[in-house]
Amino acid sequence: MNSIRGIDNHERLDEELYHDFETDDARKKRLARETKELEKLEKTFSQKGDNAALLETKKKEMEVKRAAAASKGAKVFYKVTVKDNGMGMPDKDIPNLLGRVLSGTKYGIQQTRGKFGLGAKMALIWSKMSTGLPIEVRSATRKQTYIAYYKLDIDIHKNEPHVHVHKEKPNPQKWHGAELSVTILGNWQYYRAKVLRYTRQIAVITPYAQFSFHYKAEDERNSVNITFVRRTKKMPPPPKEVKHHPASVDLELVKRLAATTATSNLQSFLFKEFSCISKEYAGRLIDEMRSGADVETRPGELDNKQITRLHQLLHEAKFKEPDGSHLSPAGEYNLRLGIMKELNPDMVATHQGDARVLEGHSFIVGAAVSIGGRDIKPGINVYRFANRIPLLFEGGSDVITKTALKRINWAAYKINQGSDKIGVFVSIVSTKIPYKGAGKEYIADDMDELVHAVKHAIQQCGLQLKVKITRQQAAREQKLRRKNLTKYIPNAAAAVFKVLQSMAQAPAVGDKRRRLEAEEDILSPVTRGETVEATLAQRLTEYVERIDTDMALEYQMQQGVAEAARQDVYLMPLGAQHEYGAELHSNVCVLKLLQPA
């Protein structure tokens, strides 16, 4: 690391200055403690009779722990590289895109991925603070014949990019996209699970993307190489930018819009800068202001009192709610496909709710609930997504976690909350996610409209799973019932045949016996050898299968399987006859037969 930063490596002159210095007494105590632990380990293995290879493995584990404890205070630096094959960044714009933290007026709102819009800049600043090294950038657009290479950092005080190196490199492969490399201080051992969990959840919510993760360790055995394959080419439509809804703006935004608008009068300002306001409605709002402004007043000439009155009126008046057509949810298809690809559950149900409105911002909640699967712990496992980005931290305070754990009666859907492996996936998309906290790691739980939408989406998934679980239970019980009945068929057939043989050999006594023989003729086939024990066993097997099917159908009807959504199914007639007769109703279907020609 020092060689990369241009610093010479110096030998220590005063060991006592360093935090890893160990006095003679401390070293003696440590060695005595390690010797005692080793003797205890050898004694335990000798008593159990375990082999020497296992003992050596345990000794190596102890050595690794000692080495880890010794290097606990040592700083570890990592070079992180992210590369894509996207549209790339224009050469001349790269310094300002990555080396300047911008702030400006938003003339519209749009669903965006991420939380702050500062990801690359935050990585650059973290690199500068921890190592002092600049970031390396390679980028090329589709029309660009070369690869633009930059080595730059940011002047934090002046908020300006500082370019160390700028080159144009050949691009024979006609690659396009961006590649960023940054050297940072980190702790892979601590955050390894979180990094892998994050990448896996990205693969769940974006099954239409293929990406790889590689971690190269000093010991190749500890390296990690994972590729998340693409399973579909069906992508969600891109989100659209829309004007601000009147109910969503704050006072400062109204001031900025009024100061920068290109419109010449107040009526046009309200009509063109905001959504859901017609020209006629804009005139009515201006009349309602009663603050000295009229339809011809220039927006830039409004004083503070007039703008404050306008802002108040925008929040008090009623407007048409945004329809949510500008949002881009992942969709049930992609969410289901991603879960099946990464978790391989036994069953999964998905639901996407309608667009709703919260404080002037439309939002859509999509949910999925899975049962079983790999790498899923028993109980409820919650996976949260905001604008298709996983949320990993502070989950206990999130509306999704609280709803899944406290507001859903899982037993009503035949799901055992304690023992079943339940995966709850909820994705919320909006032009403004109602985060709580500066880190934007969890979503507010104090908004009734959002709570109701999340709960409704999970409940709809539960209803779908209830139908599947009921069918599964019915099939399992039917199989068990058939197995139990079939097990006794040979004994029952043998006993019945023995009784019939005894009756056939005895003389017919009494009117009832003679009448039964005349009507049913049961004993004659036994006497002639036509009915044998195997014949009875075959008849009993056929009867068990028939009655078992009838009982299973009746059981399913009682459990409500038939209450699931019904679907019309049509069979194309062979001829031109399309006249139908009366409906024939049964427990499972309704038939409408063709009238005879």
Side-chain angles (χ1 to χ4, degrees):
M1 186 63 199
N2 284 340
S3 61
I4 296 176
R5 293 190 287 185
I7 302 175
D8 295 332
N9 291 316
H10 299 282
E11 294 183 359
R12 296 180 179 182
L13 298 178
D14 189 349
E15 288 285 349
E16 294 185 6
L17 287 174
Y18 297 90
H19 63 79
D20 58 352
F21 173 74
E22 189 177 36
T23 63
D24 292 337
D25 291 339
R27 185 182 299 106
K28 289 179 181 179
K29 291 180 180 179
R30 175 177 60 80
L31 293 176
R33 184 173 63 255
E34 292 176 356
T35 302
K36 186 176 180 180
E37 290 177 358
L38 186 60
E39 291 176 352
K40 183 178 179 181
L41 182 65
E42 291 176 348
K43 182 178 179 180
T44 302
F45 271 74
S46 62
Q47 291 176 350
K48 293 183 178 180
D50 293 330
N51 55 41
L54 188 58
L55 177 60
E56 290 299 322
T57 302
K58 290 293 183 181
K59 288 182 179 179
K60 289 181 179 179
E61 290 179 359
M62 292 177 62
E63 291 176 1
V64 170
K65 290 181 179 179
R66 284 197 296 268
S71 62
K72 186 176 182 181
K75 294 183 177 180
V76 182
F77 297 89
Y78 299 89
K79 184 174 183 179
V80 181
T81 301
V82 180
K83 182 179 180 180
D84 64 40
N85 60 344
M87 61 185 296
M89 296 177 286
D91 186 353
K92 62 183 180 63
D93 295 335
I94 291 176
N96 284 328
L97 287 172
L98 300 176
R100 190 190 304 273
V101 181
L102 302 175
S103 62
T105 303
K106 292 184 177 180
Y107 296 96
I109 52 175
Q110 184 179 14
Q111 172 193 327
T112 56
R113 299 192 73 190
K115 302 172 185 176
F116 301 98
L118 300 172
K121 299 180 184 69
M122 291 172 70
L124 191 156
I125 294 172
W126 175 242
S127 174
K128 185 177 180 65
M129 294 174 62
S130 61
T131 66
L133 294 175
I135 190 172
E136 295 183 52
V137 184
R138 296 171 66 249
S139 180
T141 60
R142 291 182 182 272
K143 298 180 180 180
Q144 200 168 295
T145 58
Y146 62 91
I147 297 176
Y149 173 81
Y150 280 86
K151 185 179 287 188
L152 60 88
D153 62 11
I154 183 173
D155 187 325
I156 298 176
H157 300 288
K158 296 182 179 180
N159 190 25
E160 293 178 353
H162 179 203
V163 178
H164 297 264
V165 179
H166 176 213
K167 295 180 181 179
E168 294 182 4
K169 295 187 175 183
N171 188 12
Q173 303 296 329
K174 296 183 179 180
W175 168 75
H176 57 85
E179 178 181 332
L180 286 77
S181 295
V182 58
T183 303
I184 58 175
L185 174 67
N187 188 338
W188 168 251
Q189 296 299 327
Y190 181 79
Y191 289 104
R192 178 182 186 275
K194 291 182 173 61
V195 171
L196 297 180
R197 185 183 180 193
Y198 183 87
T199 54
R200 190 184 187 194
Q201 291 189 28
I202 284 287
V204 167
I205 203 68
T206 58
Y208 45 82
Q210 177 166 315
F211 58 95
S212 302
F213 175 81
H214 305 283
Y215 169 73
K216 188 175 182 180
E218 293 181 346
D219 187 347
E220 189 62 31
R221 293 175 298 178
N222 296 328
S223 297
V224 177
N225 296 285
I226 304 175
T227 297
F228 299 93
V229 297
R230 178 187 294 109
R231 284 292 300 272
T232 179
K233 293 184 179 180
K234 182 178 179 181
M235 295 180 60
K240 302 175 184 177
E241 183 174 342
V242 293
K243 297 296 183 181
H244 293 278
H245 190 272
S248 68
V249 294
D250 56 39
L251 182 58
E252 288 301 316
L253 179 58
V254 176
K255 289 181 179 180
R256 291 201 301 268
L257 291 176
T260 58
T261 183
T263 58
S264 59
N265 58 67
L266 189 54
Q267 185 177 30
S268 297
F269 169 70
L270 293 175
F271 170 63
K272 293 183 178 180
E273 298 294 344
F274 297 92
S275 64
C276 304
I277 298 182
S278 63
K279 281 188 175 181
E280 184 269 335
Y281 204 76
R284 292 174 60 187
L285 290 172
I286 296 171
D287 294 338
E288 186 66 22
M289 283 179 61
R290 291 175 292 180
S291 58
D294 56 34
V295 294
E296 296 300 329
T297 302
R298 297 184 63 85
E301 298 176 355
L302 296 174
D303 57 30
N304 285 335
K305 290 184 178 180
Q306 290 171 328
I307 292 180
T308 301
R309 171 57 182 156
L310 175 60
H311 172 260
Q312 180 186 28
L313 190 59
L314 291 178
H315 281 262
E316 291 178 352
K318 59 182 180 181
F319 300 93
K320 180 182 177 182
E321 294 182 343
D323 58 6
S325 60
H326 55 284
L327 298 178
S328 177
E332 290 189 50
Y333 173 79
N334 281 327
L335 186 56
R336 177 188 295 269
L337 193 62
I339 294 171
M340 294 174 65
K341 176 172 72 81
E342 295 302 323
L343 276 69
N344 191 24
D346 299 330
M347 58 181 68
V348 61
T350 57
H351 175 79
Q352 181 171 296
D354 298 328
R356 304 192 184 198
V357 179
L358 185 64
E359 297 181 348
H361 293 274
S362 56
F363 70 94
I364 296 177
V365 175
V369 178
S370 65
I371 304 295
R374 56 175 178 262
D375 301 331
I376 294 289
K377 299 178 181 178
I380 296 178
N381 302 264
V382 180
Y383 302 84
R384 304 171 292 130
F385 302 91
N387 283 346
R388 306 208 299 271
I389 290 294
L391 303 177
L392 298 185
F393 303 100
E394 301 183 52
S397 303
D398 192 276
V399 60
I400 299 172
T401 305
K402 287 188 174 181
T403 301
L405 296 179
K406 299 178 180 180
R407 300 187 178 107
I408 302 296
N409 180 14
W410 293 102
Y413 308 110
K414 299 186 179 299
I415 298 175
N416 190 321
Q417 184 176 349
S419 60
D420 289 341
K421 297 180 178 180
I422 310 166
V424 179
F425 304 78
V426 178
S427 173
I428 301 175
V429 296
S430 176
T431 50
K432 183 182 179 182
I433 299 292
Y435 292 111
K436 285 287 187 179
K440 294 188 176 182
E441 287 296 341
Y442 70 98
I443 300 173
D445 186 53
D446 54 359
M447 300 180 179
D448 293 338
E449 186 69 18
L450 185 59
V451 171
H452 183 268
V454 172
K455 182 178 180 180
H456 176 74
I458 297 176
Q459 286 176 329
Q460 291 302 309
C461 295
L463 290 174
Q464 297 177 40
L465 288 177
K466 180 181 179 181
V467 174
K468 297 179 181 180
I469 293 173
T470 302
R471 289 175 178 170
Q472 190 181 70
Q473 289 178 345
R476 185 165 55 247
E477 293 186 9
Q478 179 184 3
K479 184 177 180 180
L480 181 62
R481 198 164 44 243
R482 180 181 299 176
K483 180 180 178 181
N484 291 336
L485 291 173
T486 304
K487 181 172 64 175
Y488 297 107
I489 285 178
N491 294 335
V496 172
F497 183 70
K498 186 174 181 181
V499 171
L500 292 177
Q501 277 186 322
S502 301
M503 293 176 63
Q505 294 173 0
V509 178
D511 296 337
K512 184 176 180 180
R513 166 75 179 275
R514 287 191 290 270
R515 185 171 62 254
L516 287 175
E517 287 187 358
E519 294 176 356
E520 301 294 339
D521 195 19
I522 298 176
L523 300 178
S524 299
V526 176
T527 305
R528 296 192 300 269
E530 297 174 359
T531 298
V532 295
E533 185 176 329
T535 306
L536 295 177
Q538 180 182 356
R539 297 287 180 85
L540 284 173
T541 301
E542 294 174 354
Y543 178 78
V544 166
E545 291 180 352
R546 184 173 67 254
I547 197 64
D548 186 59
T549 302
D550 295 341
M551 290 175 64
L553 180 59
E554 182 181 357
Y555 175 79
Q556 292 180 5
M557 291 292 296
Q558 293 174 353
Q559 294 298 317
V561 174
E563 296 177 1
R566 298 192 178 189
Q567 181 178 354
D568 292 336
V569 179
Y570 300 93
L571 299 177
M572 179 62 69
L574 294 177
Q577 184 68 26
H578 287 80
E579 295 294 330
Y580 295 96
E583 294 182 349
L584 303 178
H585 290 259
S586 73
N587 292 331
V588 294
C589 65
V590 178
L591 295 177
K592 293 174 67 175
L593 301 179
L594 288 169
Q595 290 278 25

